Amino acid sequence: MENRKAIKTAIGKIILMGEHAVVYGEPSIAIPFPEVRIKTTIYQSRGPVILDCCYYKGLLLKGPKIVSGLIEVIRKVTESFNERLENFNIHIDSTIPPERGMGSSAAVAISTIRALYEYFNRPLTEDQLLKWANVSEKIVHGNPSGIDAAVVGGEKTLYYKKGMPFVPFKFNLDAYLVVGDTGRKGQTRAAVEGVRQFIESKPNEGMELIKELGNLTRLARKSIEDKDAEKLGQAMFKAHIILDKLGVSDGKLNFLVSKALDCGALGAKLTGGGRGGCMIALVEDIKGANYISNCLLKYGAQNTWISKLGDGLVE
Ligand code: PMV
């Protein structure tokens, strides 16, 4: 028997600016984050499909709710090939901590879609990849803006507005980003719903805050284009304060953000859905980045990552 196998990967992402506001049509900036990755291996077997990932090992179609987005996309992609859900198994390895705002759900879907297309020897366009990834994202997040899938799939820094074409742009600012994990799972779905309720109960104040976030994202873009790291840092911290007002931060995120600033970061904020998850700090050079990373670990971050901005996969 021929032993077919396909291995594909996907990287994580970090939202630099604009989370939550992006749901309401404001711009956001997200960057690919190749420091963390998902790897999907599909290999030939006999019988019904077995899924093996950090949440679950067993029959694909009996998987728990937490993997329901992934199951649905596997089912639909396979169906679109007129293939049956049998005689192959799916194994997923991850270095992306789940539910921390680093794009793990989009990356799991994207690496698996890529692996399915490879395994069944079908050509995959970028549009198809995003369409399928959003099938899963809708189940996982409810009403996603689509930014996670767009950055994870495209692997480029994006200036993103819901419903508009993606605008990749040169991130040629010479600085470092330190990501600190609170160690607590973020609650994107609940946070998005919390913002919706905030706006429903206080429409003027709520929409004012969302607009301010949009303006800060525009300012951040200009600061990047002007190579002004200090201005970018200030915009980041202002965005954090607004996100906190909207109710999507929490005590530990606020604590790590303030410690990063005390230790000399140019700016810091939560990233992604919030209410747990990760924060980011902008730092001028690698020496400073290592210092902030150690400072965050000292004050209770579970893990940290350092990424050079403007490096690697951005256009
Ligand atoms: O928590 P994450 O990384 O999936 O980011 C969510 C970003 C939000 O703007 C809060 C929601 C969205 O769909 O854009």
Side-chain angles (χ1 to χ4, degrees), residues 194-263:
V195 173
R196 197 192 63 73
Q197 283 171 10
F198 187 113
I199 293 171
E200 199 176 81
S201 63
K202 299 178 200 163
N204 290 341
E205 189 188 341
M207 283 319 290
E208 205 49 50
L209 293 172
I210 295 290
K211 270 200 203 125
E212 258 180 76
L213 282 174
N215 288 336
L216 287 167
T217 301
R218 283 181 270 272
L219 180 66
R221 179 178 178 167
K222 174 136 196 342
S223 314
I224 294 164
E225 285 163 352
D226 294 347
K227 301 187 199 257
D228 190 336
E230 245 171 64
K231 263 213 181 114
L232 174 61
Q234 284 160 11
M236 285 168 65
F237 182 54
K238 283 185 185 155
H240 180 76
I241 293 171
I242 297 176
L243 289 164
D244 191 24
K245 279 191 192 156
L246 283 168
V248 299
S249 191
D250 69 7
K252 188 147 184 197
L253 282 166
N254 288 348
F255 181 68
L256 291 179
V257 163
S258 79
K259 286 300 167 196
L261 296 173
D262 289 351
C263 292

Side-chain angles (χ1 to χ4, degrees), residues 131 133-144 189:
K131 182 193 91 178
N134 280 315
V135 166
S136 164
E137 286 292 274
K138 275 201 181 104
I139 295 170
V140 178
H141 288 308
N143 177 27
R189 217 186 159 115

Side-chain angles (χ1 to χ4, degrees), residues 13 15 19-20 22-23 101 141 143-145 147-148 188 192 272-273:
K13 69 99 216 322
I15 298 183
E19 51 275 272
H20 289 287
V22 67
V23 174
H141 288 308
N143 177 27
S145 65
I147 189 161
D148 283 21
T188 301
V192 169

Side-chain angles (χ1 to χ4, degrees), residues 42-82:
I42 300 184
Y43 56 94
Q44 201 168 2
S45 66
R46 280 187 189 277
V49 176
I50 303 283
L51 173 66
D52 180 3
C53 65
C54 70
Y55 288 117
Y56 172 72
K57 182 171 181 182
L59 289 173
L60 176 78
L61 295 178
K62 294 258 169 13
K65 192 159 177 264
I66 193 143
V67 287
S68 56
L70 181 64
I71 295 173
E72 185 63 1
V73 84
I74 294 168
R75 225 176 47 72
K76 288 218 160 121
V77 169
T78 312
E79 200 175 88
S80 78
F81 297 158
N82 285 323

Side-chain angles (χ1 to χ4, degrees), residues 10-14 31-34 36-38 96 102-104 107 151-152:
I11 58 169
K13 69 99 216 322
I14 289 290
I31 59 174
F33 198 66
V36 292
R37 282 173 189 273
I38 300 280
I96 309 185
M102 294 173 96
S104 78
V151 176
V152 170

